[in-house]
Each structure stands twice: as C-alpha cells, then as structure tokens.
Amino acid sequence: MASLQEATGSTVWPPPAASNISEPHQCLLLLYEDIGSSRVRYWDLLLLVPNVLFFVFLLWKLPLARAKIRVTSSPIFITFYILVFVVALVGIARAVVSMTVSASDAATVADKILWEITRFFLLAIELSVVILGLAFGHLESKSSIKRVLAITTVLSLAYSVTQVCGVGVKGHVSKL
C-alpha cells in the first residue's frame, strides 16, 4: 500500500467499517419504520394523506367542474377530469392496500406489485393526457378518444410487463 501511495502521491483511505453497511441510513428508516405498534409504515401514511386531500379537493370542486364541462360539452375535458379522478383513486387504493398487507410476511412482494400497478396507471394516464393535449383540436369524437386511451393502455401495459420481467430476471440472476 505504501508503494501505491508513493507512486500516485495520494492518500488511500481505509474502507468504512462493516457495521455502517448493514445499518440503514436515517432517511431510509422513514420507508420501513412502523408507527408505534400499528404495523402501518410512515411512508404509507405520507402517501395516503396528500392523495386523500387531493381527492377531497376534487370532490369539493366537482359541481363547478361539471358546470364548466356542460358549457363546453367537449369529450376531452370529460376524459381529463375522469383521468384525474382515477389518479387520485389509484394513489389512495395503493396506500390503503399497502397499509393492509404490511401486517403480513408477503408485504415486500405485494408492495412491489402495487407500485408496478400504480406506475402502469400513471404512465397510461400521462401518455393519454399528452396525446390528447397534442391533438386537442382534432379529437372531438368519443371513438377517437377511446382509441387513444386503448393505445396508451396497451403501450403502458407492455412497458410495465417488461419492467416486471426485467426485475424478475435480475432477481433470479443475482441469486445465482
């Protein structure tokens, strides 16, 4: 080691103690720590609260939104509003189900599946909003909007399946 220091002219620091590797960082405890003895994680609660607040806000503004939608009578606005409701509901469902399954031993697998389902919905909705936004003036029929939703759903499903298969392959390869 001394010859390496002399050759490069730099100081070589020793590797960190092994105990630091096995202990999670303080910030990561938020992901895994339970609230008291409830077996509900702080992370799940931090995801649930904003989603519920956003959903309550949507319900509060629903009469005004419905009045605006009736005035415009555009199927794109109706689709946007429904997609926003779906995003809020998926976020709430994911947090509630994650809180429910965290009490069991299969919590890690179920949580990963829930995250992938959430990512699928969010990607499908984001793609739909982008495509509908780009083609705003050209998609005024319900059939064309249904076509856009179907295409973005298939694309999102294909992406999600490749992600799940890729994670599964990585998990099996790392065990070998």
Side-chain angles (χ1 to χ4, degrees), residues 1 8 10 22 28 31 34 44 49 51 59 92-93 103 108 111 120-121 126 136 139 148 158 166 168-169 172:
M1 177 107 62
T8 61
S10 65
S22 63
L28 289 176
L31 294 172
D34 294 339
D44 293 330
V49 170
N51 280 305
L59 289 176
I92 291 170
T108 305
D111 200 43
F120 160 72
F121 274 107
E126 288 172 6
F136 184 74
L139 295 175
V148 168
V169 170
H172 291 298

Side-chain angles (χ1 to χ4, degrees), residues 52-64 81 85:
V52 168
L53 290 175
F54 182 62
F55 188 71
V56 168
F57 173 77
L58 288 175
L59 289 176
W60 180 48
K61 291 292 188 175
L62 183 61
L64 180 63
Y81 208 77
F85 261 100

Side-chain angles (χ1 to χ4, degrees), residues 28-40:
L28 289 176
L29 292 178
L30 179 70
L31 294 172
Y32 304 111
E33 285 292 314
D34 294 339
I35 302 171
S37 61
S38 65
R39 306 263 332 232
V40 173

Side-chain angles (χ1 to χ4, degrees), residues 30-113:
L30 179 70
L31 294 172
Y32 304 111
E33 285 292 314
D34 294 339
I35 302 171
S37 61
S38 65
R39 306 263 332 232
V40 173
R41 296 177 295 195
Y42 286 106
W43 178 248
D44 293 330
L45 189 64
L46 285 173
L47 289 175
L48 178 66
V49 170
N51 280 305
V52 168
L53 290 175
F54 182 62
F55 188 71
V56 168
F57 173 77
L58 288 175
L59 289 176
W60 180 48
K61 291 292 188 175
L62 183 61
L64 180 63
R66 288 178 65 189
K68 286 183 179 181
I69 288 172
R70 274 193 211 121
V71 170
T72 60
S73 69
S74 172
I76 290 180
F77 286 125
I78 296 169
T79 305
F80 280 156
Y81 208 77
I82 290 171
L83 291 177
V84 170
F85 261 100
V86 170
V87 167
L89 287 173
V90 166
I92 291 170
R94 186 240 161 259
V96 168
V97 172
S98 183
M99 287 178 179
T100 306
V101 299
S102 67
S104 71
D105 293 332
T108 305
V109 174
D111 200 43
K112 288 180 182 179
I113 292 170

Side-chain angles (χ1 to χ4, degrees), residues 13-24:
W13 296 99
S19 64
N20 287 341
I21 295 172
S22 63
E23 295 175 20

